[in-house]
Amino acid sequence: MRLGDLAEREAGRLACLATPYAGFPGGMDAASESASEWLQVLAGAGVQAIAPACVSAWAGLPEADPEPVARLAELVVVPPVPGWETSLEVWRAVELALAAVKPVYLLDEGGHSPGKGEGGSEPEPDDLAGRWDTRAYV
């Protein structure tokens, strides 16, 4: 989903920003910085979010636990950051949201790509389509 479409649909609601943390290229500080940048992008679009990766980094934890945030949030947003496809933290947040019948959104780049060029390439939106059919989860 494009960021603008997400904003039209979910502005004013609290989101869990599900991003990789443990095993992120560049380490936990880079994971937290990437999540922080996406928090700013979402806030600029009118969607407030909490990122378990940021909370864990601030606390100095080796892993992010998305459960408290995913349970509190009204939706889960997964941005196209390196490693999202294989991150257990991302998929745990998605699993919790779907079990609670909350919407899950996989963002395409849509012109917003914080952190791109800092240690990895991100998949193009067309590459994501075959991996996860977001229509089934929205």
Side-chain angles (χ1 to χ4, degrees), residues 25-41:
M28 294 180 292
D29 288 339
S32 176
E33 183 176 323
S34 175
S36 292
E37 291 173 353
W38 275 102
L39 286 173
Q40 291 174 354
V41 168

Side-chain angles (χ1 to χ4, degrees), residues 10-132:
E10 302 294 352
R13 298 181 74 199
L14 181 64
C16 171
L17 179 65
T19 58
Y21 180 69
F24 189 80
M28 294 180 292
D29 288 339
S32 176
E33 183 176 323
S34 175
S36 292
E37 291 173 353
W38 275 102
L39 286 173
Q40 291 174 354
V41 168
L42 290 174
V47 178
Q48 297 299 313
I50 301 171
C54 290
V55 174
S56 296
W58 297 329
L61 300 174
E63 296 179 356
D65 180 6
E67 189 167 344
V69 177
R71 290 193 187 284
L72 175 67
E74 299 172 89
L75 59 133
V76 169
V77 176
V78 180
V81 298
W84 73 265
E85 304 98 328
T86 58
S87 170
L88 295 177
E89 295 142 335
V90 169
W91 287 105
R92 180 68 180 139
V94 168
E95 174 185 71
L96 289 164
L98 294 177
V101 193
K102 296 178 182 180
V104 174
Y105 298 96
L106 174 62
L107 292 179
D108 67 17
E109 288 188 38
H112 299 280
S113 185
K116 188 167 184 174
E118 296 178 11
S121 63
E122 296 174 0
E124 293 298 319
D126 289 343
D127 294 340
L128 301 177
R131 295 187 191 154
W132 189 6

